[in-house]
Amino acid sequence: MKDTYRHQGLRRQLIDALRQKGLRDERVLEAMLRLPRHFFLEAAFAEKAYQNVAFPIGVGQTISQPYTVAYQTSLLEVRKRDKVLEIGTGSGYQAAVLALLEARVFTIERQEFLYQKTKTLLQKIGLKGIRCYHRDGYKGMPEMMPFDKILVTCGAEEVPEALKSQLKIGGILVVPVGKEGRQKMLKITRLSSEEYNEESLEDFKFVPFLKGVEKL
Ligand code: SAH
């Protein structure tokens, strides 16, 4: 895998475009500037890796648009050493952005095909601090809770209660919620053991948050 000057130039243009669209979290943009997105795509799409577009990654799933990755990551307010749970490993790109922000990342994928492929890729790239699991994200990871941050990268029909309960007090859950393939981004902050603050933000289109796991 090679990261050429050409790739780096295209990446800089993409990051500038995201800034122009109103994304201003420089720590997140800098992490995305460092990370070669073309490593996470099939060879057939690698040429287009620096367009602000979602691409197929197999088994009917997609790598999120760069705008979406920057948007969700900014909402999470990631700090060094934060314990972050990601639902929907997919290509591994979002998990890698979180790792570059020095979070301790636990990422769950329900498709065994993607779990295997991405686990191998992340080892090859040599990114530290990401642990991959083949599981149903609806249940979260009770044995590793509580988490500082939880990020859902698939569209849920309702807020998954198990995930809310696995947040630390002061922790943040970012989850797209809605019906018929359109979701509103929610930022949910846990205020106390019983109280949560919920902010409803922009509209997005995610692949569905499905129950259960798929084997190879
Ligand atoms: N974060 C990914 C986005 C992948 S798309 C990336 O950066 O590439 C969302 C992913 O969520 C898909 O791979 C899909 O299989 C997965 N998913 C859907 N429902 C899930 C569930 N219940 N548990 C875990 N993963 C799930």
Side-chain angles (χ1 to χ4, degrees), residues 23-49:
L23 296 164
R24 294 289 152 79
D25 187 329
E26 288 300 325
R27 272 185 74 231
V28 172
L29 295 177
E30 193 260 343
M32 291 176 67
L33 186 60
R34 278 162 60 203
L35 187 64
R37 187 171 184 251
H38 62 282
F39 289 1
F40 297 84
L41 291 173
E42 301 288 342
F45 301 107
E47 268 304 299
K48 299 180 178 163

Side-chain angles (χ1 to χ4, degrees), residues 4 17 38 103 106 117 136 152 171 184 186 188:
T4 63
H38 62 282
F106 298 80
K117 186 172 153 184
D136 178 4
V152 180
K184 279 238 176 279
L186 302 187
I188 298 173

Side-chain angles (χ1 to χ4, degrees), residues 36-90:
R37 187 171 184 251
H38 62 282
F39 289 1
F40 297 84
L41 291 173
E42 301 288 342
F45 301 107
E47 268 304 299
K48 299 180 178 163
Y50 299 103
Q51 297 177 2
N52 185 25
V53 175
F55 292 106
I57 53 173
V59 289
Q61 306 305 316
T62 52
I63 178 173
S64 301
Q65 249 186 304
Y67 179 86
T68 307
V69 172
Y71 188 93
Q72 289 200 295
T73 314
S74 303
L75 288 178
L76 273 189
E77 300 171 23
V78 179
R79 295 199 208 106
K80 191 172 174 168
R81 305 267 316 138
D82 266 0
K83 204 159 125 189
V84 181
L85 176 65
E86 181 196 20
I87 312 300
T89 312

Side-chain angles (χ1 to χ4, degrees), residues 3 14 50 61 76 90-91 107 130 133 186 193:
D3 188 31
L14 169 66
Y50 299 103
Q61 306 305 316
L76 273 189
S91 69
T107 182
I130 305 174
Y133 301 86
L186 302 187
S193 59

Side-chain angles (χ1 to χ4, degrees), residues 2 5-6 25 42 49 58 61 89 95 105 112 135 137 144-145 158 162 198 202 206 213:
K2 267 171 84 177
Y5 283 124
R6 195 174 142 267
D25 187 329
E42 301 288 342
Q61 306 305 316
T89 312
V105 185
E112 189 174 6
R135 303 209 184 176
M144 292 308 293
M145 68 176 268
E158 65 226 333
E198 195 172 300
E202 285 179 29
F206 281 83
V213 294

